[in-house]
Each structure stands twice: as C-alpha cells, then as structure tokens.
Amino acid sequence: MDLTTPPTPAQRTWTTPDVFWPSLSAATTRLDPALAVLHLPALRHNTHDMLRRAGGKPIRVASKSVRVRSVLDAVLALPGYAGVLAYTLPEALWLAEGDAEHPPIEDVVVGYPTADRGAIARLAHSPELAARVTLMVDSIAHLDFIDAVVPPAERERIRVCLELDSSWDAPVLGHIGVFRSPLHTVEQVRAVAEEIVRRPGFELVGMMGYEAQIAGQGDNPTGRPAWGATLRWVQKNSQDELLARRGEAVAAVRALADLEFVNGGGTGSLEFTGRDDSVTEIAAGSGLFGGHLFDTYRGFRPAPAASFALSVVRRPSPDIATLLGGGWIASGPPGTDRMPKVVWPTGLSMVDREMAGEVQTPLTGAAASVMRIGDRVWLRHTKSGELSEHVDVFHLVDVVDGRATVVGETPSYRGEGKVFL
C-alpha cells in the first residue's frame, strides 16, 4: 500500500457524492455485503492533509482508530509520521515484535495504563521489547503494580510516560473533558515524576496529555447553532488554560528527566496542538479513515476513506427497507451521533424506535420504497476503530484510468486473529 503521492484531481471523486458512492457499488458489485472498503485516493488525501494541519510537528499514529497493520506500515513510511500510540500492552508487544510481512514498530507508546500481568512480564524479560515499548502511568500505584509483577532487579528497565490531565476545570461548569489521569496540577505531576526518577527499574522518557474537549468534540453540530457557539467558547477558554498549565508541567518534569517526547492532541486539534511549543508530537488516527464524526468540525473535513455496505434483506412494509446488521456503534455517550450514517442512496433514514441494530437496521424515506431485496446501502462509521472490529478485511479501491477498481484487500486486526479489547 503506497500512500506517498497525494491523489490527482480526477481521483478526488468523494467531492461528488453522486459519482463516488455509485462508483464504489460498481467496483464491488461481485462482492457480497457486509463489506468494508478503503478508498486509497481518499486515504492518501487524509494522510497528507493531516501532515499539513500539524504544521511540521510529527504525528504519532493512534492505532485504536485504525486497527489495520498494513495501514500503520504505510502511514509510518511517510516523512512526518513517527511511532504508534497503542491502546493495550498486548497490542503494543505484537506491533513491536513484527513478523515476516510487517517490520517491527520500534517506538510504541501504550496510551493507557495496564494491569495485564502476563504482558508486563513479557515486556520486562525482553531487551528488544523493553527498548521499543513505553508504558503509561499516572500514579505511584502503577509503579507499585509493575514492581509487584517483576521486581526491578529481575527485569529490564521499564520505559514510562507520565500522563497529565488535560481537561478544563471551568468556573461554574466544573470538569470539562474526559476522566483520565488524576494529575491535573503542576505540583501533582512533579511529585509522581520525582518518584519515577527515584525508583530503580524505571526510566521516565515522555509525557502525554489528551485534550478531548478540544480534539474530540466537533464545534459545529448540525442544527444546533447555540450549542455550537457554546462549544467554541468552551474550547477557546480551555485552550488558553491548557497552554499555560501544560507548558509549566512539562518544564517541571524536564527539570527532573531528559524527556524524549511530549505527546498531545488528536485529529480534531492538530492545528492547536501543533502551535503548543511544549508539545513535541501529536497523536492522531481517526482522521486517516475519516469517519462522519468530523462532519461537525468547522476547520477541516477529511475524505470518507473507509466505508461499509450492507444488503437489503427485508421489506416489512412498502415504505421500509431493512438491512442485515448495522449496529456498529462508536464509543462515547449513547446517541445518534455514535451510530453509522446512511449515505447512499440518499433519501434514507433510520427508524426512530429501532435505529441501528446488531442484526437489522430498518430504513425509511423516499428511496426505501423503491429498494429491492439484495440492493446495497453505503454507510459511514462515526470514528474508526469500531469499523475494523466488525470486518476481517478491507477491500482496497483505487481510481485507475478514471474508474474505481478493487485492487486488493488487507486484513484488519480481527482478520489476523487479534482482538485486544
């Protein structure tokens, strides 16, 4: 999979939906749904546009939002991308080991603390893995846990990254963001950093802070202008507060340890995080596949590189067409914005009382009345990771001589027999 060259204007067919979606149907006509596709020109566009938005700051690929090893390999081959932010330690070890088809990824940071004793033991007893994988910690209890699994004298030195809470404690509104690290103040961060540096068997190599209230929240929700204005006010004030606090926290830790990296951000905040002088790299992944979550952002619009098709299998009434499957729901607060979005044919919508279900998704609307058994409907996922967990392979579609063509397929983690979480 070569992502080196951005797409030509003729390959940017996603800008014309009534060409793009029928072209995917024509290209995959011999394949039976449920099926997922990766549109390679759109993926190339997204990889290069994310680099542009990052403003020269390296991007660490968030694997949770991809879960396809060939895509990780292809993205990491591009200048400007460096390293992976994994979501579990077993996944990180698998990526760091590599195999005959996939080279070892030599810089993997686990984005969340781990309590996996078996995986910690594997890491601790392997010089190669211990040099490639960095664990996330945000408390002394995490250090105690690791020491209890393998004492310092019996293991390799464990690389660790310290996570700063990047949420905003807003006046009146209170906590805005996600509940991750308990380390919010400079003093709290410094205290844990001092303990890491003091303890044998650990090496403090990085810091991380994920500003979810900025990166993961679209600032232009459809049909809700007042709420959009509120979100933009929250994000502006949160940015100002975080720039000062993160800068102070990083400086405090750098006085104690020679940090290799300071990670921040996400697909939705590439521009903001890229301007933060205290951050050396940005984590991003969802923007590669371009889920419909990003339709609610004002500043950018990734191409729909990944999508999936389901079949009509029932006509329970003249005005309803029912798909087999469809409940491929993204993480986060339950709501319609976490559900797949029906994009083709136009004029279709989910039934309010049923929505997207594990085994079926009834659709209504003008187009539903003319659909037949076996017709296919194209949908877009909300984020990215949920799509890869539901399919074994992605069919690769390229635009060759002006025509969308299936040029191969590539397995997801699931297709390689891996389900990490």
Side-chain angles (χ1 to χ4, degrees), residues 253-266:
V253 175
R254 284 198 181 277
L256 300 169
D258 185 15
L259 298 180
E260 297 175 12
F261 65 89
V262 177
N263 183 279

Side-chain angles (χ1 to χ4, degrees), residues 140-154:
I140 295 173
H142 289 138
L143 308 179
D144 293 340
F145 189 92
I146 295 168
D147 280 346
V149 174
V150 186
E154 301 174 15

Side-chain angles (χ1 to χ4, degrees), residues 58-61 76 78 80-84 107 281:
I59 296 176
R60 182 181 293 273
V61 185
L76 290 174
L78 296 176
Y81 288 92
V84 163
D107 180 8
E281 62 176 39

Side-chain angles (χ1 to χ4, degrees), residues 31-335:
L31 301 173
D32 289 321
L35 64 90
V37 302
L38 277 178
H39 189 272
L40 295 179
L43 182 58
R44 294 182 188 114
H45 166 81
N46 290 344
T47 58
H48 290 272
D49 193 55
M50 287 170 63
L51 290 175
R52 175 192 63 79
R53 294 177 55 219
K57 196 154 285 187
I59 296 176
R60 182 181 293 273
V61 185
S63 62
K64 177 183 70 68
S65 300
V66 179
R67 307 189 199 203
V68 181
R69 268 209 292 184
S70 63
V71 173
L72 295 179
D73 291 344
V75 172
L76 290 174
L78 296 176
Y81 288 92
V84 163
L85 184 70
Y87 59 101
T88 70
L89 179 52
E91 180 212 12
L93 298 178
W94 181 60
L95 295 175
E97 287 173 328
D99 59 25
E101 295 184 21
H102 303 278
I105 297 176
E106 298 189 357
D107 180 8
V108 185
V109 176
V110 184
Y112 304 85
T114 183
D116 190 320
R117 293 176 176 85
I120 291 172
R122 284 184 57 207
L123 173 71
H125 291 131
S126 168
E128 293 80 15
L129 294 176
R132 296 169 182 167
V133 175
T134 301
L135 299 187
M136 190 66 61
V137 299
D138 60 35
S139 70
I140 295 173
H142 289 138
L143 308 179
D144 293 340
F145 189 92
I146 295 168
D147 280 346
V149 174
V150 186
E154 301 174 15
R155 71 175 190 237
E156 298 293 324
R157 195 171 179 86
I158 301 296
R159 294 165 51 88
V160 296
C161 175
L162 187 58
E163 181 164 3
L164 169 72
D165 172 33
S166 296
S167 62
W168 182 36
D169 287 341
V172 182
L173 298 175
H175 179 95
I176 295 177
V178 292
F179 291 98
R180 291 174 62 108
S181 170
L183 307 179
H184 187 82
T185 68
V186 175
E187 293 73 23
Q188 290 170 328
V189 171
R190 182 189 292 114
V192 177
E194 288 173 345
E195 180 65 12
I196 296 171
V197 172
R198 184 191 69 80
R199 282 206 185 193
F202 294 101
E203 182 180 6
L204 179 55
V205 300
M207 282 186 66
M208 175 188 171
Y210 174 50
E211 53 266 35
Q213 70 278 11
I214 303 169
Q217 181 69 61
D219 62 355
N220 191 33
T222 304
R224 304 174 68 189
W227 177 236
T230 301
L231 287 173
R232 291 190 288 275
W233 177 86
V234 166
Q235 290 177 343
K236 173 61 170 63
N237 285 272
S238 177
Q239 288 174 8
D240 294 342
E241 186 276 338
L242 181 59
L243 279 173
R245 180 165 55 88
R246 181 159 54 192
E248 293 176 10
V250 170
V253 175
R254 284 198 181 277
L256 300 169
D258 185 15
L259 298 180
E260 297 175 12
F261 65 89
V262 177
N263 183 279
T267 293
S269 68
L270 284 169
E271 291 87 352
F272 161 69
T273 314
R275 294 192 299 268
D276 187 340
D277 292 336
S278 70
V279 174
T280 66
E281 62 176 39
I282 309 171
S286 296
L288 294 171
F289 284 3
H292 72 77
L293 172 73
F294 300 112
D295 291 353
T296 61
Y297 288 68
R298 293 188 306 166
F300 68 101
R301 181 65 60 87
S307 57
F308 65 100
L310 301 175
S311 290
V312 174
V313 295
R314 279 179 170 164
R315 294 300 314 275
S317 72
D319 60 346
I320 293 178
T322 302
L323 305 177
L324 183 64
W328 299 0
I329 310 300
S331 62

